[in-house]
Amino acid sequence: MDVLVAGGSGFIGRALCRVLVDRGHEVTAASRTPDADGLPAAVETAVADVSESDLEELVDGHDAVVNLVALPSHVQSRGQSHEAVHFEGTRHLVAAAERTGVERFVQLSGLGVESGVDTAYFRAKRRAERVVRDADLEWVIYRPSVVFGDGCAFIPFVERISPPLATLLPGGERTWLQPIWVDDLAPMLADGLENDRHIGQCYEIGGPERLTLAETVSRIRGGGTVVPIPMGLAAIAAILVDPIPWVPFGRDQYRVLGLDNTTTDNDVTAFGVSPKSLRTLSAYLADKHR
């Protein structure tokens, strides 16, 4: 199979490309600034900006497209928005795939998309899912919880918001996460390309641990004190700092406090995987700190 991985030189993309090459597929990794570092030598790279509407030349000749292009949920970059990247980018890729005869389209969404939480990230992800579901393509959608591993955005973000000795944390005991290791997720994404029984399915994916945000911060920091902030005070702070682009907390981040970002029935079992066999965030961090 000839596979185009949009966002292929990113964090999850590199892991997926390695799995696809190991399974004998031909792979092209596309991104705005493709970086071959960490990619197998057999992977071709291509320059692509999914915010541009004409992607037919990029997509043409491939049997399948995997859309991993994303901004982290806490990021709103200048010149880019979640709407442009997640919704419009998906719409452009789907249109190009339909016009060029692509058979299968795999979409990486996010756990919590249907939670009712109204943020720019979730709104764009919801709209993107609808585009994929309505497409004349064989589609598979994945909704993972936070994904961790070497080169991820999640652990540096937590380190950024949590000083080593004491962390002021609104909603620390109310926000639940189910982190999944990137090298456990990647084979499941590859299975969605290869196995017809996954067509038309939306999978909610999580790791073996269910942790509060406070527990997550403590593990990543290797200790320290987590000091809860009253939600009313956090709401005021979010409004005040929201216009400041370099502050990683604003009204959208406040809205997800209390979100249960865990699975009801962990769909890793659809891929013949037992949740207990997956790597925990705790084990990963312990190995990194040795």
Side-chain angles (χ1 to χ4, degrees):
M1 184 182 294
D2 197 324
V3 183
L4 173 71
V5 182
S9 62
F11 162 58
I12 297 175
R14 292 193 301 271
L16 176 59
C17 287
R18 289 192 293 269
V19 172
L20 292 175
V21 168
D22 287 345
R23 295 187 182 187
H25 299 288
E26 297 180 15
V27 182
T28 300
S31 68
R32 296 178 71 193
T33 54
D35 182 358
D37 187 35
L39 289 172
V43 174
E44 296 185 7
T45 59
V47 176
D49 183 348
V50 297
S51 65
E52 297 178 356
S53 59
D54 185 6
L55 299 178
E56 289 186 32
E57 184 175 348
L58 171 72
V59 172
D60 192 25
H62 295 93
D63 302 306
V65 173
V66 183
N67 182 19
L68 304 178
V69 178
L71 292 175
S73 60
H74 61 277
V75 170
Q76 189 80 303
S77 300
R78 291 185 178 180
Q80 284 188 307
S81 67
H82 292 297
E83 185 79 1
V85 173
H86 296 129
F87 170 61
E88 293 291 352
T90 299
R91 190 166 66 87
H92 296 156
L93 278 172
V94 164
E98 289 178 316
R99 288 194 293 263
T100 57
V102 166
E103 296 177 2
R104 191 159 304 183
F105 195 98
V106 170
Q107 174 79 358
L108 189 69
S109 188
L111 197 59
V113 163
E114 295 294 346
S115 64
V117 175
D118 188 30
T119 68
Y121 176 81
F122 283 144
R123 283 196 301 273
K125 285 286 192 180
R126 282 194 293 270
R127 296 186 70 193
E129 281 195 13
R130 287 197 291 270
V131 168
V132 174
R133 292 173 187 271
D134 291 342
D136 187 20
L137 298 165
E138 298 174 351
W139 56 263
V140 188
I141 296 172
Y142 293 79
R143 295 175 177 171
S145 187
V146 292
V147 184
F148 68 89
D150 295 350
C152 71
F154 172 63
I155 292 175
F157 170 69
V158 171
E159 291 173 336
R160 185 180 174 191
I161 66 170
S162 55
L165 298 180
T167 301
L168 303 177
L169 196 64
E173 297 295 340
R174 300 173 55 184
T175 305
W176 286 85
L177 305 171
Q178 196 173 346
I180 183 164
W181 187 36
V182 66
D183 286 341
D184 284 331
L185 175 63
M188 300 181 209
L189 297 176
D191 288 350
L193 287 167
E194 297 172 331
N195 197 317
D196 288 351
R197 67 187 180 88
H198 297 304
I199 295 172
Q201 299 298 315
C202 178
Y203 294 114
E204 296 196 339
I205 301 292
E209 286 182 311
R210 295 171 185 259
L211 303 170
T212 66
L213 182 56
E215 290 171 330
T216 305
V217 168
S218 181
R219 280 163 170 73
I220 290 175
R221 277 302 185 188
T225 302
V226 176
V227 180
I229 298 177
M231 294 300 287
L233 182 60
I236 295 171
I239 293 170
L240 292 175
V241 303
D242 191 68
I244 306 174
W246 49 267
V247 175
F249 183 82
R251 284 178 291 185
D252 275 5
Q253 285 66 48
Y254 172 79
R255 291 184 182 110
V256 300
L257 295 176
L259 174 66
D260 187 350
N261 197 243
T262 63
T263 62
T264 301
D265 297 305
N266 197 344
D267 288 332
V268 299
T269 55
F271 305 93
V273 175
S274 167
K276 293 181 179 179
S277 70
L278 302 177
R279 193 178 193 187
T280 65
L281 175 65
S282 300
Y284 171 82
L285 293 170
D287 289 343
K288 295 293 285 185
H289 293 154
R290 283 177 184 171

